[in-house]
């Protein structure tokens, strides 16, 4: 299917960027940054061989327990639901990064091995010195740095709540991306029963069923594709859908996640769930009227809420600082506990 996608994700080279955090703060669409982490020892070892990359990461790995995942070879690395969608086509188990790397080393010579990987796990937890030896400053905001390690895998199209710079430390990665407005054309599965925490597209990107998912053709018309090798990174803004495939016998991806918002603000997904509970099944005219209120109080940046109200009684109409956030949470708790 990748051959059908004509639009490449725009790209630049790290040498064209003077200040990476400032550059990333200005981006509103995906962009590939070539050689953004090319100076990492991890990347230098990966450019020599998969074995050297694996050995290097093993030298930094801890024995702390992690969640690992495995899928049989016939799944071709696709981590997804089972046929009945009442479970999954993979298993998860407790391991640690050292054991996982040894497992990956054992299967590198197998032509069609089972798939193994460790999903997003904090670097400081599973490889405490990784960030010290492989540094990258991407934002002034609070940032979570995590590792993905495995052999071949396909992660279904999903979105993340945070901005993300994904850097290839070893192997190769293919990203297929869709703007947030394509959600209607991606056929998203359950919100609360998911393979890895985020809702995913039900379309098999390797063999799309256009009879079952006809609108997916519209999504493909606007899809963007990027193929990354060691040292490259891709910035993915929050809420952009992305399908990710790891294509080598050994792959390492380093993610930097951050929200361009203060810590006291709530997770917008929680507001989505509450809106589904309160609004989704109202009569159409009621929903239209509530949409007007949401536009006024939430989405219209051109309206200064409470501008006609004295500051001492403005309450939660004012700027949502840490104190106001606590007041809103307390108000919500009172409402929900009735």
């Amino acid at each position: 299917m990748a051959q059908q996608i004509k639009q490449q994700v725009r790209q630049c080279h790290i040498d064209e960027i003077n200040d990476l955090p400032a550059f990333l703060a200005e981006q509103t669409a995906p962009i590939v940054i070539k050689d953004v982490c090319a100076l990492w020892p991890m990347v230098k070892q990966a450019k020599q061989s998969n074995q050297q990359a694996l050995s290097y990461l093993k030298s930094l790995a801890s024995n702390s327990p992690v969640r690992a995942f495995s899928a049989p070879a016939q799944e071709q690395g696709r981590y997804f639901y089972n046929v009945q969608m009442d479970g999954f086509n993979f298993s998860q188990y407790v391991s640690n990064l050292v054991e996982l790397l040894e497992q990956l080393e054992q299967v590198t010579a197998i032509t069609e091995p089972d798939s193994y990987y460790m999903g997003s796990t904090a670097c400081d937890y599973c490889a405490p010195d990784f960030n010290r030896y492989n540094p990258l400053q991407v934002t002034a905001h609070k940032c979570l740095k995590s590792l993905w390690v495995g052999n071949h895998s396909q992660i279904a199209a999903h979105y993340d709540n945070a901005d993300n710079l994904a850097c290839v430390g070893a192997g190769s990665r293919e990203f297929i991306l869709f703007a947030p407005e394509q959600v209607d054309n991606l056929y998203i599965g359950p919100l609360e029963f998911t393979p890895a925490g985020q809702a995913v597209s039900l379309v098999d990107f390797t063999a799309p069923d256009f009879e079952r998912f006809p609108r997916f053709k519209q999504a493909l018309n606007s899809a963007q594709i990027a193929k990354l090798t060691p040292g490259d990174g891709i910035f993915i803004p929050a809420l952009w859908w992305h399908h990710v495939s790891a294509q080598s016998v050994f792959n390492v991806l380093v993610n930097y996640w951050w929200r361009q918002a203060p810590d006291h603000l709530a997770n917008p997904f929680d507001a989505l769930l509450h809106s589904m509970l309160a609004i989704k099944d109202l009569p159409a005219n009621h929903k239209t009227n509530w949409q007007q209120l949401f536009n006024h109080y939430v989405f219209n940046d051109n309206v200064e809420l409470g501008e006609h109200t004295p500051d001492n009684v403005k309450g939660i109409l004012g700027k949502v600082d840490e104190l106001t956030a606590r007041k809103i949470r307390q108000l919500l708790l009172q409402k929900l506990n009735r």
Side-chain angles (χ1 to χ4, degrees), residues 150-338:
N151 53 3
H152 58 290
S153 63
Q154 297 179 47
I155 306 303
H158 63 284
Y159 73 86
D160 297 304
N161 294 329
D163 288 336
N164 173 19
L165 180 68
C167 298
V168 176
S172 60
R173 278 292 202 286
E174 179 186 84
F175 290 79
I176 300 175
L177 300 104
F178 306 86
E181 58 264 26
Q182 289 299 320
V183 60
D184 289 344
N185 300 324
L186 291 174
Y187 298 91
I188 308 305
L191 294 182
E192 72 277 24
F193 177 57
T194 68
Q198 294 292 92
V200 301
S201 170
L202 299 182
V203 180
D204 182 352
F205 278 37
T206 60
D209 183 345
F210 292 116
E211 289 190 7
R212 183 182 175 193
F213 307 117
R215 293 193 307 276
F216 185 61
K217 288 183 178 180
Q218 298 177 44
L220 285 177
N221 289 336
S222 66
Q224 301 179 38
I225 191 169
K227 297 184 179 183
L228 278 63
T229 56
D232 297 337
I234 182 170
F235 172 71
I236 305 174
L239 303 187
W240 274 72
W241 297 88
H242 48 288
H243 176 279
V244 188
S245 57
Q247 302 179 318
S248 299
V249 296
F250 179 63
N251 300 275
V252 175
L253 190 71
V254 184
N255 283 108
Y256 297 80
W257 316 88
W258 71 96
R259 288 180 64 196
Q260 295 189 44
D263 290 342
H264 60 260
L265 293 186
N267 186 335
F269 184 73
D270 297 343
L272 175 64
L273 291 178
H274 198 178
S275 297
M276 293 176 71
L277 172 66
I279 298 173
K280 183 175 74 72
D281 290 334
L282 290 177
N285 63 315
H286 288 205
K287 289 200 290 187
T288 298
N289 293 338
W290 276 109
Q291 187 175 25
Q292 296 303 318
L293 285 181
F294 271 69
N295 286 339
H296 175 75
Y297 284 107
V298 179
F299 296 111
N300 191 346
D301 293 334
N302 296 320
V303 172
E304 183 181 343
L305 296 179
E307 59 182 344
H308 52 283
T309 306
D311 287 344
N312 62 321
V313 295
K314 190 173 291 188
I316 65 174
L317 294 177
K319 180 177 175 59
V320 182
D321 55 19
E322 193 166 354
L323 178 60
T324 304
R326 288 203 294 268
K327 290 180 179 178
I328 294 174
R329 285 188 171 89
Q330 185 61 39
L331 183 60
L332 279 171
L333 286 173
Q334 293 172 3
K335 298 288 187 183
L336 290 171
N337 285 331
R338 287 181 178 175

